[in-house]
Amino acid sequence: MKWILGMLAGLLCTGAAAQVSVENPWTRPTPPSAKLGAGYLTVVNAGAADRLIGASSPAAARVEMHVTVRDGEIMRMREVKEFSLPADGRLELKPAGAHLMFVELKRPFKQGEKIPVTLKFERAGELKVELRVSRQAPAPEHPKH
């Protein structure tokens, strides 16, 4: 009986993860001595409301979630514990806004590489993505008709 419940729980998690996808994952190349890098992407949610509660990557000691806020005339980054993902909605991580912060890079990000990242959602579980290293944001993907 326990194994049946385990299988059902696994199927439910798999179904939830299928509701969340990622578009245009990217990051910029970093200088040789850089210890930080930023990651950008758009999370598309085709299901119930969820929360992005963490991320990890073998490319850095840790991955934090940040927002950029104005403090007078200065823009500052602040770490946050989660990002809300609305039901049937989108979460955009972009330059000068919400983003992933790679801390203590293992080595520089080089043009053309792909950086593996695991996103952790409260409901959808884990989603593995690769961020393309590029000097500029990729062109937005257009829905296929």
Side-chain angles (χ1 to χ4, degrees):
M1 184 66 169
K2 280 186 179 180
W3 67 271
I4 292 174
L5 291 175
M7 284 179 53
L8 287 173
L11 288 172
L12 289 173
C13 287
T14 302
Q19 300 293 315
V20 175
S21 62
V22 169
E23 295 176 350
N24 301 323
W26 71 286
T27 184
R28 290 188 174 108
T30 58
S33 61
K35 295 295 179 191
L36 298 173
Y40 314 107
L41 51 87
T42 300
V43 181
V44 179
N45 183 15
D50 204 343
R51 295 185 305 165
L52 178 60
I53 57 173
S56 62
S57 174
R62 67 184 182 279
V63 180
E64 298 175 352
M65 298 182 299
H66 285 197
V67 294
T68 305
V69 295
R70 180 176 291 281
D71 183 6
E73 294 298 315
I74 300 171
M75 298 300 283
R76 299 186 189 275
M77 288 184 286
R78 299 278 188 249
E79 184 177 4
V80 296
K81 298 296 180 198
E82 64 188 41
F83 290 124
S84 294
L85 181 56
D88 298 314
R90 301 167 75 83
L91 166 64
E92 188 175 4
L93 305 184
K94 61 185 179 179
H99 59 276
L100 300 176
M101 180 61 67
F102 295 84
V103 180
E104 297 179 34
L105 297 179
K106 305 279 172 96
R107 61 178 183 73
F109 294 170
K110 295 181 182 171
Q111 179 76 21
E113 287 184 315
K114 292 186 177 178
I115 306 300
V117 177
T118 301
L119 302 174
K120 297 172 188 145
F121 295 91
E122 184 175 66
R123 296 185 54 161
E126 293 187 350
L127 178 63
K128 295 185 183 301
V129 299
E130 290 184 324
L131 278 61
R132 292 169 288 196
V133 181
S134 176
R135 296 193 192 293
Q136 62 186 27
E141 296 174 7
H142 297 288
K144 295 171 182 59
H145 297 283

